[in-house]
Amino acid sequence: MCNCGKLSACGYGDCKDVSSNPQERNLGLAALTEALTFTKSRFDLVCRCKTKVYADNLPTTSVVIVFHNEAWSTLLRTVHSVINRSPRHMLEEIVLVDDASERDFLKRPLESYVKKLKVPVHVIRMEQRSGLIRARLKGAAASKGQVITFLDAHCECTVGWLEPLLARIKADRRTVVCPIIDVISDDTFEYMAGSDMTYGGFNWKLNFRWYPVPQREMDRRKGDRTLPVRTPTMAGGLFSIDRDYFQEIGTYDAGMDIWGGENLEISFRIWQCGGTLEIVTCSHVGHVFRKATPYTFPGGTGQIINKNNRRLAEVWMDEFKNFFYIISPGVTKVDYGDISSRLGLRRKLQCKPFSWYLENVYPDSQIPRHYFSLGEIRNVETNQCLDNMARKENEKVGIFNCHGMGGNQVFSYTANKEIRTDDLCLDVSKLNGPVTMLKCHHLKGNQLWEYDPVKLTLLHVNSNQCLDKATEEDSQVPSIRDCTGSRSQQWLLRNVTLPEIF
């Protein structure tokens, strides 16, 4: 066991002295202090995790790994790390599902290789390219363990990764658990520990995003970072679930194609239908994050992901699906198939509404639970609309000719008096601006705006100035000026009429 009295990188192998790292020796004093504080925090967490004792009678697990044209080295790195770093009596088997790979070494050579391993490893072949979702379903159906653990084909499990996951499921079979996902560089294959201070969320476009763990969750855990984090959503690649519970809640939506959206769909379903979704901070699994997907998507990536997201929105999001549709209006033209069985599943399981999920599971969601308007913000004098111009955090908000097509001109004026565009809020930090887009912090302050429905003004409360049209110096950026009551400071907040739903 590591000596937790020393500032050591109490990692997944041997201890090593942090000060021996030449990069850290070359840091400036302030940066070094910050790095050491961060390292000590992680060191404390890892050491405390190592002191935890788990029961011997934890459930067994089958590890299901789907691959498609995976490199030999990364696939076998995953398999060997599972075998070498899992207690043998807890590891029932490894199920490799080949999603129609074309590489010869993934055929008979792979089968011959895995037969020699000390853990049963079964190779199952999909007859044609079916995608992650259906391949995982086939692997799950063939597995025998009490728990199914899904991993991607380019991972590395660490020492002690499995026991914390199985212990949580033994305590409550309706708990679905994910490890902390560490980063393996796709350039050098260097292993870098991930953070226990982030959890899963999503934006208006239904893109999965990592966000800081909120204070309310830290308070619930009473500051004990070894306790699991309740996460609104999972990344989807790596998680464990009780076999019977996986069946009870409806496995995956088999109507979804290839990949995309399935992680949010199962996350919503777990929470809304009585389960719990957690990130177990004492479990670490590394993952190679590629800069771009190397796979082909029959029918096109956008079309498939839009179909999948449309299905999850129609089944689980109730009226809040409008946030997705007005910012991605093209989705409403996608044929998303028959969802009657999924709606039937929701009724059978007596699942809660999406408003309950936002209120109780994800109150800091980028989708506000209560809002006054959702659509364009149009200037009365110029007839132009606020537009995020696809700009990023810390950049100025834009203004452009109104096009009535949603997308970048969709803003929400919330019950908290924020002006939001996705997960960014209009913010003014000094007199006369500029008006920038910053992450919404829900603390009012520089993000508090008062809309007067009679005067049609948007007053920035902290500066006591009004949102105004663009200046001649910068024609594509709204300004902030002393309130005069002029038409250029009048704004119409209009709800976007949804395009015709296909």
Side-chain angles (χ1 to χ4, degrees), residues 194-211:
S195 173
D196 68 298
M197 300 299 289
T198 58
Y199 76 170
F202 59 94
N203 61 16
W204 289 5
K205 293 182 180 180
L206 298 186
N207 294 325
F208 174 87
R209 291 286 183 269
W210 294 107
Y211 293 104

Side-chain angles (χ1 to χ4, degrees), residues 8-290:
S8 305
C10 185
Y12 312 112
D14 297 329
C15 296
K16 60 180 180 180
D17 188 348
V18 169
S19 62
S20 67
N21 185 332
Q23 289 181 319
E24 291 187 354
R25 286 203 306 268
N26 293 331
L27 290 173
L29 181 59
L32 177 60
T33 302
E34 181 180 352
L36 289 176
T37 301
F38 180 70
T39 303
K40 186 178 188 305
S41 174
R42 175 166 293 150
F43 154 81
D44 289 341
L45 173 61
V46 173
C47 285
R48 291 182 64 194
C49 286
K50 282 180 175 287
T51 64
K52 288 185 176 287
V53 178
Y54 301 99
D56 290 331
N57 61 339
L58 294 177
T60 62
T61 188
S62 296
V63 177
V64 176
I65 301 168
V66 174
F67 66 93
H68 172 73
N69 287 340
E70 191 69 41
W72 177 269
S73 57
T74 51
L75 178 60
L76 270 297
R77 179 183 189 174
T78 307
V79 170
H80 279 288
S81 70
V82 171
I83 294 173
N84 295 338
R85 294 169 178 171
S86 305
R88 179 63 189 90
H89 64 284
M90 298 177 192
L91 184 58
E92 179 78 29
E93 63 189 343
I94 297 174
V95 180
L96 299 178
V97 185
D98 174 19
D99 188 19
S101 295
E102 295 136 356
R103 296 174 175 175
D104 290 339
F105 61 79
L106 294 173
K107 301 186 186 305
R108 184 167 295 177
L110 177 63
E111 294 178 10
S112 299
Y113 183 90
V114 299
K115 284 179 182 178
K116 304 172 187 176
L117 300 177
K118 60 185 178 182
V119 169
V121 180
H122 313 290
V123 180
I124 297 174
R125 309 283 185 182
M126 303 296 287
E127 293 181 3
Q128 59 185 19
R129 180 78 193 282
S130 303
L132 177 77
I133 298 165
R134 296 187 183 109
R136 279 188 167 181
L137 287 173
K138 187 163 185 175
S143 63
K144 302 171 184 174
Q146 297 163 261
V147 169
I148 303 170
T149 297
F150 294 105
L151 295 180
D152 283 341
H154 29 273
C155 292
E156 181 180 336
C157 300
T158 67
V159 174
W161 76 285
L162 185 57
E163 298 95 311
L165 300 177
L166 299 181
R168 293 301 296 170
I169 293 175
K170 179 177 173 60
D172 184 348
R173 60 185 290 272
R174 298 183 305 169
T175 299
V176 181
V177 289
C178 311
I180 287 182
I181 304 176
D182 297 335
V183 177
I184 300 174
S185 167
D186 66 344
D187 292 322
T188 65
F189 285 87
E190 177 187 6
Y191 194 106
M192 296 164 280
S195 173
D196 68 298
M197 300 299 289
T198 58
Y199 76 170
F202 59 94
N203 61 16
W204 289 5
K205 293 182 180 180
L206 298 186
N207 294 325
F208 174 87
R209 291 286 183 269
W210 294 107
Y211 293 104
V213 174
Q215 188 60 46
R216 61 179 172 79
E217 181 61 13
M218 298 297 292
D219 294 342
R220 185 190 67 81
R221 298 154 74 210
K222 296 181 171 58
D224 186 352
R225 289 169 57 187
T226 67
L227 294 179
V229 173
R230 291 181 178 175
T231 182
T233 64
M234 67 160 107
L238 295 67
F239 70 97
S240 296
I241 186 169
D242 178 87
R243 157 187 300 286
D244 294 334
Y245 183 60
F246 187 53
Q247 293 296 325
E248 289 169 20
I249 65 164
T251 64
Y252 279 113
D253 178 359
M256 288 185 167
D257 292 335
I258 308 293
W259 170 90
E262 84 289 341
N263 58 322
L264 296 191
E265 193 274 342
I266 198 170
S267 299
F268 296 166
R269 182 157 35 98
I270 289 165
W271 281 116
Q272 289 175 242
C273 305
T276 302
L277 182 58
E278 294 179 343
I279 296 172
V280 179
T281 55
C282 286
S283 173
H284 282 252
V285 176
H287 181 274
V288 179
F289 289 92
R290 299 178 171 116

Side-chain angles (χ1 to χ4, degrees), residues 334-442:
V334 173
D335 183 355
Y336 58 98
D338 183 2
I339 58 171
S340 58
S341 64
R342 303 307 286 182
L343 292 171
L345 174 70
R346 179 173 174 173
R347 289 190 295 270
K348 174 186 173 184
L349 297 177
Q350 299 181 326
C351 304
K352 293 181 173 67
F354 198 70
S355 59
W356 174 89
Y357 170 86
L358 293 178
E359 189 79 32
N360 296 277
V361 177
Y362 198 13
D364 41 4
S365 164
Q366 314 316 318
I367 295 180
R369 302 189 301 285
H370 307 290
Y371 54 94
F372 298 116
S373 71
L374 176 63
E376 66 182 26
I377 298 180
R378 180 185 294 249
N379 187 273
V380 170
E381 180 176 295
T382 66
N383 218 27
Q384 290 186 315
C385 286
L386 293 186
D387 194 311
N388 68 35
M389 315 287 277
R391 293 170 182 160
K392 299 178 181 178
E393 182 181 3
N394 293 322
E395 295 184 334
K396 297 177 184 178
V397 70
I399 192 167
F400 201 71
N401 295 334
C402 301
H403 52 57
M405 298 175 62
N408 292 341
Q409 292 186 356
V410 176
F411 290 79
S412 178
Y413 183 56
T414 74
N416 291 329
K417 299 183 178 180
E418 305 159 321
I419 302 175
R420 302 184 62 137
T421 171
D422 205 346
D423 57 354
L424 302 178
C425 281
L426 299 200
D427 190 296
V428 179
S429 60
K430 58 184 180 181
L431 283 175
N432 303 318
V435 184
T436 57
M437 298 180 292
L438 298 180
K439 279 281 170 28
C440 300
H441 52 55
H442 315 296

Side-chain angles (χ1 to χ4, degrees), residues 287-305:
H287 181 274
V288 179
F289 289 92
R290 299 178 171 116
K291 294 182 179 68
T293 177
Y295 309 130
T296 57
F297 286 70
T301 305
Q303 183 80 359
I304 288 169
I305 293 177

